[in-house]
Amino acid sequence: MDLVTLLKFEHAIFKVRFSLMYKLPDDAFWEEFSQLHRFIVDVHAKAEDLYVFPLFPEKEIHPFAADHKLIQSFGDNLLRERDRRRFERYVAVVTYHNDHEELEVFPKVGRSLPIAIDVIENYGIENYIKLMGLDPRKL
């Protein structure tokens, strides 16, 4: 498995986890949201920023990089304010962004990229396995 395939897998996991979160009571919801948001910012977006986005001209990739900042800010504010009503909007922003990466960015990468194991190790392999359900060292 290469990095782009792994990123697509993570997109799918986000959708599943988001859909399950609606049913959680508040304490469990905020714990899950905090973990998932941190993962999105500290692992997923970072891997894209470091290894995928530099393959493109800045002008072409700028909207996607700007989305990462928006998602980080939005999620951080949501965690601070703890307003569950805004969660649906967060999900919509992340999903729209991810869907457009899969349509407009990933098909243009044009080569296999190694998995960003350094980013994952900084986050913690065990944390990654717990959240994503697979060990990236074995891919």
Side-chain angles (χ1 to χ4, degrees):
M1 179 180 294
D2 72 333
L3 178 59
V4 170
T5 304
L6 182 60
L7 293 169
K8 289 178 188 178
F9 172 81
E10 291 173 1
H11 287 176
I13 295 295
F14 298 159
K15 287 178 183 178
V16 170
R17 292 188 84 100
F18 286 152
S19 71
L20 296 173
M21 288 174 62
Y22 286 100
K23 300 174 186 173
L24 295 174
D26 275 350
D27 288 346
F29 172 87
W30 290 113
E31 179 63 29
E32 174 72 12
F33 179 73
S34 177
Q35 289 176 10
L36 191 55
H37 175 62
R38 286 281 54 93
F39 180 89
I40 289 170
V41 171
D42 294 340
V43 180
H44 186 83
K46 185 176 272 188
E48 291 174 344
D49 290 341
L50 291 174
Y51 297 106
V52 177
F53 292 179
L55 302 174
F56 295 88
E58 199 280 331
K59 183 178 177 182
E60 183 178 345
I61 207 68
H62 176 76
F64 295 95
D67 283 353
H68 286 175
K69 291 179 178 138
L70 170 67
I71 290 165
Q72 179 176 358
S73 178
F74 191 9
D76 291 350
N77 287 335
L78 193 54
L79 283 167
R80 221 177 357 267
E81 296 169 10
R82 291 187 171 244
D83 182 355
R84 276 184 80 153
R85 296 171 298 173
R86 296 180 63 212
F87 174 67
E88 190 171 330
R89 185 70 190 137
Y90 176 89
V91 170
V93 169
V94 171
T95 301
Y96 178 87
H97 168 82
N98 291 347
D99 289 348
H100 282 267
E101 281 180 336
E102 290 185 23
L103 290 171
E104 300 172 29
V105 177
F106 296 164
K108 296 178 185 175
V109 169
R111 62 182 162 124
S112 180
L113 300 174
I115 292 173
I117 201 73
D118 59 326
V119 174
I120 295 168
E121 286 175 343
N122 284 339
Y123 176 73
I125 293 287
E126 295 306 316
N127 295 329
Y128 187 95
I129 293 168
K130 182 179 176 187
L131 208 58
M132 290 295 115
L134 58 81
D135 187 338
R137 298 169 298 189
K138 296 181 180 176
L139 301 176

